[in-house]
Amino acid sequence: MQYALLIYTEPGHEETLSEVEREAAYAEYLALADDPRCVGAGQLQSAETATSVRVAGGRTLMTDGPFADTKEVLGGFCLIEAADLDEAIEMASRVPATSASTRPAASSCGVSAGTPRPGAPTAGRSNWPPRPPSGGS
């Protein structure tokens, strides 16, 4: 079964890490990305680059930035193959971010989870694993 690992972090968290801690976190992301159970993954740009879109009363409303002011922001995702929830939790526990949640992926629009729609861009790993910020602690 496929599970989505949703990876959350506190803004600025990486800057609080020492160079050794940052390198260890990056190594863990590399290990997760190299795990054959990892189907696809991606890192998101900062929450400040978000555009929130809501439809209310037939009108599309757009707002720059995240929809809500929160302590943690969604920083990335990883789609994995796991035998069961316990295995998905084991993989989520390896994520060095502030927190990660796991949720079973479901079929949508007649396409199995993780299967790209015809003509849709495929999920590459060009921005995965997350790159450690440049500069030192």
Side-chain angles (χ1 to χ4, degrees):
M1 175 168 213
Q2 290 187 335
Y3 290 84
L5 303 183
L6 304 177
I7 302 167
Y8 295 89
T9 189
E10 294 176 20
H13 172 73
E14 292 81 18
E15 289 79 25
T16 67
L17 301 176
S18 70
E19 188 65 28
V20 171
E21 291 169 321
R22 220 181 334 268
E23 288 177 16
Y26 184 60
E28 189 57 47
Y29 281 120
L30 278 173
L32 186 59
D34 288 340
D35 190 308
R37 297 171 293 177
C38 182
V39 176
Q43 179 181 11
L44 302 177
Q45 292 186 13
S46 71
E48 291 77 27
T49 66
T51 300
S52 297
V53 180
R54 297 187 335 183
V55 177
R59 292 185 40 203
T60 301
L61 308 170
M62 294 184 299
T63 306
D64 288 339
F67 179 72
D69 193 22
T70 61
K71 282 186 160 184
E72 293 181 334
V73 294
L74 180 63
F77 64 92
C78 185
L79 186 63
I80 62 167
E81 285 283 348
D84 54 28
L85 180 59
D86 290 336
E87 186 176 2
I89 290 169
E90 178 271 322
M91 290 185 73
S93 69
R94 294 173 40 196
V95 174
T98 305
S99 67
S101 66
T102 184
R103 184 179 308 171
S107 295
S108 176
C109 302
V111 178
S112 297
T115 303
R117 296 181 318 275
T122 57
R125 292 188 182 158
S126 61
N127 64 346
W128 181 265
R131 304 293 184 248
S134 57
S137 63

